[in-house]
Amino acid sequence: MFHDDSRDWWRHAAIYQVYPRSFADANGDGTGDLAGIRAKLGYLHDLGVNAIWFSPWYPSPMADAGYDVADYRDIDPSFGTLAEAEALIAEAHAYGIRIIVDIVPNHCSDAHAWFQRALAEGPGSPARDLFWFRQGRGGQGELPPNDWQSVFEGPAWTRVADGQWYLHLFASEQPDLNWDNPLVRAEFADILRFWFDRGVDGIRIDSAAMCVKDPALADFDRTSPPDLHPFVDRDEIHDIYRGWRTIADSYEVPRALIGEVWLADTERFARYLRPDEMHAAFNFDFLGAPWEAKALRACVDATLASHAPVGAPSTWVLCNHDVTRTVTRYGRAETRFDHALRQARHRLPTDPALGLRRARAAALLTLALPGSVYLYQGEELGLTEAEDLPGAVRQDPIFHRSGGNDPGRDGCRVPLPWSNDGASLGFSPAGAQPAWLPQPEHWAGQTVAAQQADPDSMLRLYQAALALRGAEAGLGDGPMTWLDSEDQVLAFSRPGGLTCVVNFGEDPVDLPWHTDLLLSSAPLTDGQLPADTAAWLRTG
């Protein structure tokens, strides 16, 4: 299943993101669990993925869907036990599937033992120095220590009973850790070893560019931040990941470090991918790019150019647990994605048929590009964003902290539809409690069972494309060559004689010379490639 040297699997892999709460529920409590995932490993093997990335599965009060971690060395009881996680890792390996777990270093949960100790021991204690506790401003310390704002809206400071304030760049239940404290660094080094020793093949690093803060905690203008940002991409952060790389490389088969790095500056982004730091980082420029030939080509070129000097593989992703699902986004007049625009675009008109057609073409484009690819659960089913969730069921802190103005991310986190069994479409067994988020009624026609039986379904397209990708030595990491094409067409070749052609225009276009049509996202029209369609051709 893997390309060439298994030590470099991360350079080529097709990686599937599992959001545990919403993948499959085995015990009937309405929440996905490890037993449900283990029962579906055969499905993921048959889909053709090389690795699974798990969103946080740790004990958590779930103030931010598990990214508020209370214990980094255990499994949340709603998901199962540590022994079940170890069994899952072993069973996945038996299928030839590697495992990536989420590590959240910027913050933990306010229920974490460290933070509870910090509250109990009070100002000036060593426990408080593990976080960013400060006195407030104003005559009685009644004002926050500075003007920093949370990523989730509102102040980035919360006051505790003794009058001090603590920093949280996300929700108030997620206190930021102080990475200037060597105890924090030692703790995470041990956490990495804990999971690597249990067979985990790599880690995905959440909010990887935000751990280090300006110790002066200076005010700044959010609309025009300084060149050296107070808490994003500070130079000192690279020492952390060089230390982690040493740990990852100490294993007989080195473990992979994959970063969530949101940076507009491609040169600074590439610094995280130097040979002694991370192996790979998510390509959010591609995820947010509009469905336009010129924009996507520019994004591909910029991505390859920024990765080449550091020898890192590119990564390609269309969707994840934080963004609007691809079918919904591509069905709108404005097809870009930006977190800042989510509120304005929520419930804008979308054409799901057009979105699905484009998402099918985008799948073939993405899987043909050089490097590794990430597939968010449900994208292989062509699921739409669940935009009509009632406010009463929404759980994302973004929704609540914005007073409901921002819909948040719950719409892409709705439990998967497996079959037409029961009220939860096979997500839970018969007689189960309702799923933790309700599924759209129209998903009844998009279940795994329905799509397995339909040779023209999105699922069958992904299965075919991933099978070809695994069989073609020229796919995955490696060179690509752009071919001359019309303005609204992208065409490129990969080693071994495979060519990918994507038509972004309104009219059908002629295909280049080829010996075989290997796969297309929609049927050809009189031998031509229709609008919003992609094809893989044998040209050599």
Side-chain angles (χ1 to χ4, degrees):
M1 172 175 279
F2 301 110
H3 286 265
D4 56 35
D5 186 353
S6 63
R7 298 171 70 88
D8 288 342
W9 62 270
W10 41 271
R11 301 191 71 95
H12 315 275
I15 300 167
Y16 187 96
Q17 181 189 356
V18 164
Y19 189 74
R21 293 180 87 184
S22 298
F23 189 71
D25 167 27
N27 66 7
D29 65 357
T31 297
D33 46 43
L34 299 189
I37 297 166
R38 292 171 67 187
K40 303 296 187 184
L41 286 174
Y43 166 79
L44 295 175
H45 173 266
D46 293 344
L47 180 59
V49 300
N50 308 112
I52 304 169
W53 154 36
F54 288 94
S55 295
W57 55 11
Y58 312 108
S60 169
M62 297 294 172
D64 183 26
Y67 284 90
D68 49 320
V69 179
D71 184 349
Y72 290 86
R73 297 180 183 83
D74 204 352
I75 300 296
D76 193 89
S78 67
F79 298 147
T81 65
L82 181 58
E84 285 182 280
E86 292 170 339
L88 190 161
I89 294 166
E91 290 164 10
H93 285 168
Y95 275 112
I97 297 174
R98 291 185 169 86
I99 298 296
I100 300 166
V101 299
D102 231 311
I103 296 293
V104 186
N106 178 70
H107 50 263
C108 63
S109 168
D110 60 358
H112 192 285
W114 275 12
F115 191 74
Q116 290 297 307
R117 189 178 309 129
L119 293 178
E121 294 184 4
S125 65
R128 290 225 166 167
D129 192 49
L130 297 168
F131 301 91
W132 291 90
F133 278 91
R134 292 293 185 273
Q135 297 300 127
R137 296 192 289 195
Q140 304 297 321
E142 71 277 9
L143 300 177
N146 66 22
D147 64 358
W148 292 6
Q149 296 294 295
S150 164
V151 174
F152 289 167
E153 299 198 24
W157 296 90
T158 291
R159 199 176 192 188
V160 299
D162 56 44
Q164 282 200 318
W165 299 73
Y166 67 89
L167 176 68
H168 52 87
L169 292 178
F170 293 86
S172 58
E173 296 89 349
Q174 295 168 287
D176 279 38
L177 291 157
N178 176 14
W179 277 87
D180 293 339
N181 190 319
L183 293 178
V184 174
R185 299 189 180 223
E187 171 73 356
F188 275 85
D190 189 74
I191 290 166
L192 263 59
R193 293 187 183 96
F194 179 90
W195 289 107
F196 290 160
D197 289 347
R198 279 158 180 76
V200 164
D201 302 282
I203 61 167
R204 177 263 190 186
I205 308 165
D206 180 69
S207 301
M210 299 178 70
C211 295
V212 175
K213 279 74 174 176
D214 174 10
L217 298 176
D219 289 350
F220 73 102
D221 181 358
R222 286 202 301 165
T223 64
S224 182
D227 290 338
L228 184 57
H229 196 284
F231 56 78
V232 177
D233 186 37
R234 296 184 65 82
D235 292 339
E236 303 92 332
I237 202 166
H238 296 280
D239 289 337
I240 297 172
Y241 300 125
R242 280 190 282 268
W244 287 18
R245 180 62 176 262
T246 298
I247 296 170
D249 285 349
S250 70
Y251 287 80
E252 181 179 358
V253 177
R255 306 319 199 222
L257 308 180
I258 301 156
E260 181 195 29
V261 182
W262 291 85
L263 290 178
D265 187 323
T266 55
E267 290 187 10
R268 292 194 67 87
F269 173 87
R271 295 177 69 200
Y272 291 81
L273 301 175
R274 289 176 290 194
D276 62 346
E277 295 192 42
M278 299 179 192
H279 297 82
F282 290 130
N283 183 359
F284 293 112
D285 288 343
F286 186 80
L287 179 152
W291 181 248
E292 298 170 5
K294 183 178 180 180
L296 283 168
R297 176 164 178 165
C299 179
V300 171
D301 285 340
T303 298
L304 297 178
S306 66
H307 285 67
V310 290
S314 303
T315 65
W316 311 101
V317 58
L318 294 170
C319 186
N320 63 29
H321 65 292
D322 285 333
V323 307
T324 304
R325 282 200 177 272
T326 310
V327 169
T328 297
R329 176 165 65 95
Y330 280 166
R332 288 181 169 145
E334 172 56 76
T335 54
R336 291 183 302 135
F337 176 80
D338 188 317
H339 285 292
L341 298 175
R342 179 176 48 226
Q343 177 177 330
R345 292 180 185 165
H346 181 59
R347 293 194 178 183
L348 284 179
T350 185
D351 180 343
L354 175 63
L356 181 61
R357 185 178 186 89
R358 289 172 170 173
R360 289 172 63 93
L364 295 194
L365 168 63
T366 305
L367 291 169
L369 289 169
S372 56
V373 64
Y374 289 77
L375 170 62
Y376 178 52
Q377 66 178 41
E379 287 291 289
E380 79 277 18
L381 303 178
L383 298 181
T384 52
E385 185 86 354
E387 295 193 289
D388 58 353
L389 294 171
V393 304
R394 290 185 180 271
Q395 300 192 23
D396 191 347
I398 292 177
F399 174 80
H400 296 288
R401 287 177 66 89
S402 69
N405 292 323
D406 189 320
R409 302 158 295 175
D410 291 310
C412 65
R413 300 174 175 182
V414 173
L416 295 188
W418 290 94
S419 67
N420 286 98
D421 298 332
S424 66
L425 299 176
F427 169 70
S428 300
Q433 298 179 31
W436 73 279
L437 284 175
Q439 300 149 314
E441 291 183 6
H442 67 267
W443 279 14
Q446 296 177 269
T447 66
V448 170
Q451 296 200 37
Q452 290 280 30
D454 179 3
D456 298 321
S457 68
M458 181 69 125
L459 176 58
R460 295 287 290 273
L461 176 70
Y462 262 103
Q463 289 173 332
L466 285 165
L468 276 169
R469 190 178 186 275
E472 290 284 331
L475 292 180
D477 194 28
M480 64 169 279
T481 302
W482 290 112
L483 305 177
D484 290 339
S485 60
E486 299 179 30
D487 289 344
Q488 295 301 311
V489 174
L490 291 185
F492 58 92
S493 64
R494 301 299 314 277
L498 186 143
T499 291
C500 177
V501 185
V502 189
N503 179 11
F504 294 82
E506 297 179 358
D507 301 314
V509 297
D510 292 331
L511 290 169
W513 176 88
H514 58 281
T515 58
D516 292 294
L517 172 65
L518 300 178
L519 191 61
S520 62
S521 62
L524 301 188
T525 302
D526 297 326
Q528 292 185 305
L529 191 66
D532 295 314
T533 302
W536 287 1
L537 311 173
R538 177 73 65 200
T539 54

